Amino acid sequence: EPEVTQTPSHQVTQMGQEVILRCVPISNHLYFYWYRQILGQKVEFLVSFYNNEISEKSEIFDDQFSVERPDGSNFTLKIRSTKLEDSAMYFCASFRDSTYNEQFFGPGTRLTVL
Amino acid sequence: KQEVTQIPAALSVPEGENLVLNCSFTDSAIYNLQWFRQDPGKGLTSLLLIQSSQREQTSGRLNASLDKSSGRSTLYIAASQPGDSATYLCAVFLYGNKLVFGAGTILRVKS
């Protein structure tokens, strides 16, 4: 069964460093999302992406964040200068079309900022 | 702003018991609702999707209901097993397929 994959599973970085989190969505899906979950808190929407551009972004998704679909298969989330409060589990999700069907989530990348 | 609340926050039951997890949302203008399971430190596994026009959806021992007008959904688990122990998350679809999640119910099924 097709699945969303994410790499790395765990990333440790120093504050102020740039990180890139990678996702490979399901191949025939058109809509892509990033969510995050700070330990002990709710899963929160960060950004949605369709047709090579951002569809919607949350207040969390400030200028330090960017997303890209560089090669037609990968979908990346970049954090330019990480802060301690960026430590969280980051989930990628993909979605086939616009009819509000099931969203499929990847296993997540645990980001630890020291 | 849509808020999703799940009750109880935690639940511990003996194996074999039937149980109900509750989810409520403040704005009934949702598209669909999806229930997920999350094991500790792991990703989100989709359990059931209920379309906004449906009242309920079943998969195996799981049955989810949706009452949009009252802003409620329930997840019923029949004959619980220790392997059902996990956090159960409810999420509502807003315009643009954005999901808004509840905080989850931590379920422990004792053998």
Side-chain angles (χ1 to χ4, degrees):
Chain A
E1 185 174 324
E3 58 183 14
V4 178
T5 59
Q6 289 186 243
T7 54
S9 57
H10 191 190
Q11 174 92 45
V12 181
T13 190
Q14 295 291 326
M15 191 169 56
Q17 295 296 303
E18 175 183 287
V19 294
I20 297 176
L21 311 183
R22 291 182 167 79
C23 168
V24 179
I26 295 173
S27 62
N28 63 346
H29 284 192
L30 302 176
Y31 296 79
F32 314 112
Y33 304 80
W34 284 101
Y35 291 82
R36 80 171 185 189
Q37 186 179 34
I38 294 171
L39 188 63
Q41 297 187 23
K42 291 183 179 183
V43 177
E44 305 171 283
F45 167 79
L46 289 178
V47 66
S48 58
F49 191 86
Y50 169 71
N51 201 25
N52 278 322
E53 61 184 25
I54 291 174
S55 309
E56 186 178 351
K57 57 185 181 180
S58 71
E59 294 168 353
I60 304 165
F61 195 89
D62 61 22
D63 292 344
Q64 293 300 312
F65 291 88
S66 62
V67 288
E68 197 178 29
R69 189 152 159 81
D71 57 14
S73 62
N74 290 286
F75 178 51
T76 62
L77 174 69
K78 181 194 289 186
I79 309 175
R80 254 180 282 282
S81 177
T82 49
K83 301 186 272 256
L84 295 176
E85 55 264 37
D86 293 327
S87 295
M89 194 78 156
Y90 288 80
F91 295 107
C92 173
S94 73
F95 194 75
R96 190 184 64 208
D97 55 36
S98 61
T99 56
Y100 302 95
N101 284 313
E102 193 175 0
Q103 278 200 17
F104 293 86
F105 280 73
T109 292
R110 179 164 298 285
L111 176 64
T112 302
V113 183
L114 303 176
Chain B
K1 183 185 170 188
Q2 178 74 262
E3 295 284 344
V4 179
T5 303
Q6 292 187 245
I7 293 172
L11 184 61
S12 182
V13 300
E15 182 177 4
E17 204 162 282
N18 302 325
L19 54 101
V20 175
L21 309 182
N22 297 290
C23 171
S24 62
F25 42 95
T26 53
D27 186 346
S28 62
I30 65 167
Y31 289 84
N32 293 336
L33 185 145
Q34 194 167 353
W35 282 92
F36 294 87
R37 169 186 171 136
Q38 184 176 31
D39 292 287
K42 302 293 185 182
L44 307 177
T45 301
S46 177
L47 297 174
L48 288 165
L49 174 79
I50 310 180
Q51 309 272 357
S52 61
S53 57
Q54 293 179 310
R55 300 283 293 185
E56 66 179 70
Q57 188 70 258
T58 298
S59 176
R61 294 183 293 108
L62 305 179
N63 176 277
S65 68
L66 175 62
D67 183 344
K68 270 186 66 174
S69 60
S70 67
R72 292 180 187 174
S73 176
T74 60
L75 179 67
Y76 175 83
I77 303 177
S80 57
Q81 303 170 356
D84 294 332
S85 299
T87 298
Y88 290 80
L89 301 175
C90 162
V92 299
F93 281 76
L94 303 185
Y95 179 77
N97 296 313
K98 180 175 80 172
L99 290 176
V100 176
F101 283 83
T105 293
I106 302 170
L107 173 64
R108 180 180 168 221
V109 181
K110 298 172 287 188
S111 56

